[in-house]
């Protein structure tokens, strides 16, 4: 069993996979969020972590450490030595304090599942440097964990939101406004893994700043301000100690703090080289993003409604737990992260592979495309279902075949929709529908996902090795298909327009057609494409003339 842990500045959480589902663990008081606070006794080694430590902040503030995450891996300003925290007459490294928080999470987890859990995935901000990451890892080890992986927080959040389902090259922005830090990251899904394209933020900007602003504006203690702030997330007004507080007032006071996140978002987008329109999703992380004010701000800045389908303050821990499940290997049968090992598609005209579900797409998934008849009055279409990464159909594996019957129609006019549905068990259902008769043909293919690792390796190796030849062949085949269509059409037009095409034009067309035929023979793709383009231009008036003629005749 591997634990998934969000070691946060304000709150920390732990989760574990249970029968294939990520479950976050509650502490003895029933809270899944544990404050990242530790109280140290003044005259003994005693310490307390979490809610009771936060309580003690009222009576013994100097004995409580909070927000120690900010100090992880830091050097003391006066010397090269690691910075230490002085508390309750003790001098501790930040990672030693973090280790106590992790130990508490570990104990809660072990109590909940009744066994020892000594492996963990721990999240860190995307901007954490080596020293900060190493300190986090040492904290995990000191708490008795083998740290299997340090996972970046935005990546964890993206996993929790299931954004891997968006498919290859999906880009997402993760807007994380926590208690004391603001992070914005832009990620791109590449080869089934989220890569951080850019990250930006402010390590001194978060919900605490909102509390401080409110406390000043309303002349109340920050703890009250925080309570009122939370209340006004769900209600328009709230009463405390006989005083009425309005959400509208809160929004006016908080606006300038929230506005400070704008420049970071814009910078992060600029660094990623993206406009907001290029994003496929924006997700919210961090407790403060529960506020309607923040949601409105994000929606207007990014020009789209953010995804709020997860609890923003639990998303990172949930993602860490999912990652733990992946590392355990127990997630194979869980739909969330099972992916197609190789692309699935069908053979199209000219023996090309037409990918319908790309490799590494999360299953279950569904995708489709429209196809047409290559020959006039063709009554059936053979669909070969293929798997692999090569451009030419013959180099891929054939999983099965089906014949689709459709109503005879002129070339290019039939419409057959082909849909691939890969279910959670890895079974591929291929459905072909004649859009005229709405007749469906269905086949099921069992083996789409169960491919041995070696076979996948070999296919990927081959596709890399032959990438250039494959691409050349595809481009040539596409040009040839175009020529096969164009040349007879031109010949037909010339016959119909007998005597109406100037000699010079006709001769030029003949010359180009001959040249195109020999370019096809010689398989010179570039030349063929250039000739077809010329033919396209020169025969344009012919097409117009033909249409006019038809209209005049009618
Ligand atoms: P961190 O990642 O820094 O540990 P969290 O994601 O737990 O932080 O966010 C903590 C912040 O979220 C605090 O400022 C808290 O006041 C704020 N917060 C939590 N719930 C709400 C809510 N319902 N409305 C407004 N703010 C909230
Ligand atoms: Mg956080």
């Amino acid at each position: 069993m591997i634990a998934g842990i969000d070691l946060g500045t304000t709150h920390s959480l732990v989760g574990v996979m249970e029968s294939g589902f990520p479950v976050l663990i509650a502490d003895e008081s029933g809270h899944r969020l544990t404050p990242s606070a530790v109280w140290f006794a003044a005259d003994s080694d005693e310490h307390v972590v979490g809610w009771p430590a936060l309580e003690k902040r009222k009576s013994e503030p100097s004995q409580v450490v909070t927000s120690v995450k900010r100090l992880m891996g830091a050097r003391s300003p006066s010397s090269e030595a690691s910075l230490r925290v002085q508390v309750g007459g003790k001098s501790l490294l930040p990672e030693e304090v973090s280790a106590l928080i992790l130990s508490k999470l570990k104990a809660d987890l072990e109590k909940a599942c009744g066994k020892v859990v000594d492996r963990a995935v721990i999240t860190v901000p995307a901007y954490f440097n080596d020293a900060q990451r190493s300190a986090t890892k040492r904290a995990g080890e000191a708490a008795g964990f083998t740290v299997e992986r340090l996972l970046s927080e935005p990546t964890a959040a993206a996993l929790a939101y299931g954004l891997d389902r968006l498919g290859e090259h999906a880009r997402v922005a993760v807007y994380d406004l926590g208690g004391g830090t603001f992070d914005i990251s832009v990620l791109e899904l590449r080869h089934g893994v989220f890569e951080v394209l850019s990250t930006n933020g402010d390590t001194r900007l978060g919900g605490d700043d909102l509390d401080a602003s409110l406390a000043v504006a309303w002349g109340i203690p920050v703890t009250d301000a925080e309570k009122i702030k939370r209340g006004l997330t769900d209600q328009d007004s709230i009463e405390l100690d006989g005083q009425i507080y309005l959400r509208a007032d809160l929004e006016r006071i908080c606006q300038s703090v929230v506005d400070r996140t704008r420049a970071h978002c814009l910078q992060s987008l600029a660094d990623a080289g993206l406009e907001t329109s290029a994003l496929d999703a924006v997700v919210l992380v961090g407790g403060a993003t529960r506020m309607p004010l923040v949601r409105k701000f994000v929606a207007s800045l990014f020009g789209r409604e953010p995804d709020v389908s997860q609890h923003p303050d639990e998303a990172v821990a949930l993602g860490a737990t999912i990652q733990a499940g992946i590392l355990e290997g127990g997630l194979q049968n869980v739909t969330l992260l099972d992916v197609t090992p190789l692309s699935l598609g069908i053979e199209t005209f000219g023996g090309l592979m037409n990918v319908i579900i790309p490799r590494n797409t999360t299953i279950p998934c569904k995708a489709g495309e429209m196809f047409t008849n290559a020959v006039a009055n063709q009554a059936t279409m053979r669909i070969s279902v293929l798997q692999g990464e090569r451009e030419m159909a013959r180099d891929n594996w054939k999983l099965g075949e089906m014949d689709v019957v459709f109503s005879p129609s002129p070339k290019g006019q039939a419409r057959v929709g082909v849909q691939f549905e890969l279910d959670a068990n890895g079974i591929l259902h291929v459905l072909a529908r004649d859009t005229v008769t709405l007749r469906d043909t269905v086949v099921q293919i069992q083996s789409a996902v169960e491919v041995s690792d070696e076979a996948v390796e070999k296919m990927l190796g081959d596709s890399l090795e032959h990438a250039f030849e494959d691409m050349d062949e595809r481009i040539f085949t596409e040009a040839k298909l175009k020529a096969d269509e164009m040349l007879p059409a031109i010949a037909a037009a010339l016959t119909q327009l007998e005597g109406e095409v100037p000699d010079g034009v006709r001769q030029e067309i003949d010359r180009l057609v001959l040249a195109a035929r020999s370019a096809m023979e010689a398989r010179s793709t570039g030349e063929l494409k250039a000739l077809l383009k010329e033919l396209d231009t020169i025969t344009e008036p012919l097409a117009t003339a033909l249409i006019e003629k038809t209209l005049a005749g009618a």
Side-chain angles (χ1 to χ4, degrees):
M1 228 179 203
I2 307 179
I5 298 177
D6 171 7
L7 184 59
T9 309
T10 326
H11 296 116
S12 297
L13 298 93
V14 61
V16 80
M17 293 300 293
E18 244 171 49
S19 359
F21 291 98
V23 176
L24 299 180
I25 305 298
D27 65 7
E28 63 282 340
S29 61
H31 294 96
R32 292 194 291 267
L33 270 71
T34 296
S36 303
V38 188
W39 168 84
F40 293 90
D43 42 19
S44 72
D45 277 347
E46 202 192 334
H47 71 268
V48 174
V49 177
W51 296 102
L54 211 53
E55 273 302 303
K56 297 229 187 223
R57 202 162 52 160
K58 289 178 193 148
S59 52
E60 302 164 317
S62 67
Q63 274 152 261
V64 179
V65 180
T66 56
S67 300
V68 75
K69 184 175 178 177
R70 293 181 187 287
L71 306 176
M72 292 292 272
R75 305 241 149 243
S76 140
S78 53
S79 73
E80 269 301 282
S82 298
L83 191 105
R84 288 183 166 270
V85 187
Q86 312 301 329
V87 60
K90 294 165 202 62
S91 167
L92 295 155
L93 286 170
E95 64 201 63
E96 292 171 331
V97 180
S98 291
L100 298 175
I101 299 169
L102 291 168
S103 297
K104 157 83 166 129
L105 297 175
K106 186 172 187 281
D108 285 344
L109 173 60
E110 292 178 343
K111 200 161 137 202
C113 58
K115 61 175 160 192
V116 174
V117 182
D118 56 8
R119 299 161 72 197
V121 169
I122 305 177
T123 57
V124 288
Y127 60 77
F128 256 27
N129 62 25
D130 248 14
Q132 293 167 303
R133 285 169 197 260
S134 305
T136 305
K137 188 156 186 248
R138 284 195 301 271
E141 286 161 359
F145 286 118
T146 301
V147 180
E148 300 288 339
R149 182 161 307 179
L150 294 174
L151 180 66
S152 99
E153 287 166 13
T155 304
L159 280 176
Y161 274 96
L163 297 182
D164 45 321
R165 279 171 223 241
L166 292 175
E168 253 327 81
H169 298 296
R171 281 118 169 208
V172 301
V174 179
Y175 181 102
D176 180 350
L177 191 61
T181 56
F182 169 65
D183 300 309
I184 173 77
S185 309
V186 178
L187 314 182
E188 180 173 329
L189 192 58
R190 289 187 188 155
H191 310 297
V193 174
F194 283 105
E195 283 183 26
V196 180
L197 295 186
S198 66
T199 183
N200 208 286
D202 186 338
T203 52
R204 299 264 161 204
L205 175 59
D208 296 349
D209 298 279
L210 301 176
D211 304 344
S213 301
L214 293 169
V216 170
W218 287 333
I220 53 173
V222 278
T223 45
D224 287 354
E226 206 252 353
K227 212 178 288 167
I228 296 165
K229 175 187 74 174
R230 285 176 186 252
L232 290 176
T233 285
D234 302 315
Q235 288 158 259
D236 288 336
S237 67
I238 202 167
E239 198 194 316
L240 191 83
D241 297 336
Q243 190 73 37
I244 304 277
Y245 298 91
L246 301 174
R247 187 196 284 164
D249 271 345
L250 169 141
E251 297 197 339
R252 196 175 37 74
I253 298 162
C254 293
Q255 187 69 54
S256 65
V257 173
V258 176
D259 281 343
R260 284 170 57 200
T261 66
R262 182 192 307 273
H264 298 292
C265 294
L266 297 178
Q267 187 60 50
S268 184
L269 283 166
D271 291 345
L274 296 179
E275 306 267 350
T276 50
S277 57
L279 294 172
D280 297 288
V282 177
V283 301
L284 297 180
V285 180
T289 65
R290 287 180 184 268
M291 296 168 70
L293 171 69
V294 175
R295 295 190 170 186
K296 275 183 276 179
F297 172 85
V298 173
S300 94
L301 179 59
F302 288 92
R304 72 168 65 224
E305 286 303 319
D307 185 336
V308 294
S309 58
Q310 300 295 323
H311 292 306
D313 32 18
E314 295 184 348
V316 169
L318 206 59
T321 305
I322 292 167
Q323 180 66 57
I326 297 167
L327 292 177
E328 277 174 328
L331 268 185
Q332 258 134 23
N333 295 322
V334 171
T335 55
L336 201 59
L337 281 161
D338 212 355
V339 296
T340 53
L342 292 168
S343 303
L344 294 163
I346 70 172
E347 174 171 349
T348 53
F349 308 149
L352 292 175
M353 164 75 163
N354 185 309
V355 173
I356 294 185
I357 297 179
R359 151 180 156 69
N360 271 332
T361 302
T362 308
I363 63 172
C365 57
K366 206 193 261 188
E369 228 171 282
M370 294 297 284
F371 294 92
T372 186
N373 52 337
V375 182
N377 295 324
Q378 186 183 346
T380 62
M381 179 162 120
R382 168 147 299 185
I383 294 185
S384 292
V385 180
L386 305 172
Q387 182 170 42
E389 306 311 311
R390 304 287 300 273
E391 297 285 347
M392 303 308 294
R394 60 161 190 269
D395 295 322
N396 292 309
W397 302 320
K398 189 187 274 187
L399 298 181
E401 275 185 327
M402 65 205 269
D403 283 317
V404 182
V405 182
F406 50 84
S407 8
S409 49
K411 174 175 154 60
Q413 301 237 319
R415 288 279 174 273
V416 177
V418 175
Q419 187 188 67
F420 277 24
E421 184 176 358
L422 201 50
D423 70 19
N425 299 315
I427 295 167
L428 178 65
H429 306 260
V430 181
L431 176 148
R433 172 172 300 169
D434 175 351
T435 58
V436 178
T437 59
L438 295 183
R439 194 164 34 202
D440 287 346
T441 314
V442 180
V443 290
Q444 279 191 23
I445 292 164
Q446 302 287 337
S447 59
V449 173
E450 281 162 33
V451 181
S452 76
D453 286 352
E454 298 93 274
V456 171
E457 287 289 314
K458 178 158 186 334
M459 176 56 86
L460 294 180
D462 284 353
S463 78
L464 282 180
E465 193 180 321
H466 300 287
F468 288 109
E469 311 153 33
D470 275 15
M471 208 41 176
D472 283 349
E473 187 145 10
R474 169 177 280 269
I475 295 169
F476 173 73
T477 307
E478 281 167 357
K480 184 175 172 302
L481 286 170
K482 182 152 186 223
D484 286 344
E485 195 171 324
M486 246 175 112
L487 301 185
I490 291 172
L494 286 176
T495 314
Q496 283 193 49
L497 295 169
E498 190 71 62
E500 291 168 51
V501 183
D503 277 354
V505 175
R506 179 180 280 269
Q507 275 157 21
E508 181 58 6
I509 293 176
D510 286 345
R511 186 188 70 78
L512 290 168
V513 167
L514 269 180
R517 288 202 191 286
S518 46
M520 223 161 22
E521 290 279 306
R523 297 179 72 89
S524 28
T525 313
E527 207 183 327
L528 179 58
K529 285 180 78 171
L531 288 162
L532 292 178
K533 204 168 161 200
E534 272 189 75
L535 272 169
D536 219 14
T537 318
I538 196 168
T539 57
E540 219 187 291
L542 265 63
T544 322
L546 262 185
I547 293 170
E548 278 166 5
K549 199 175 160 133
T550 320
L551 288 177

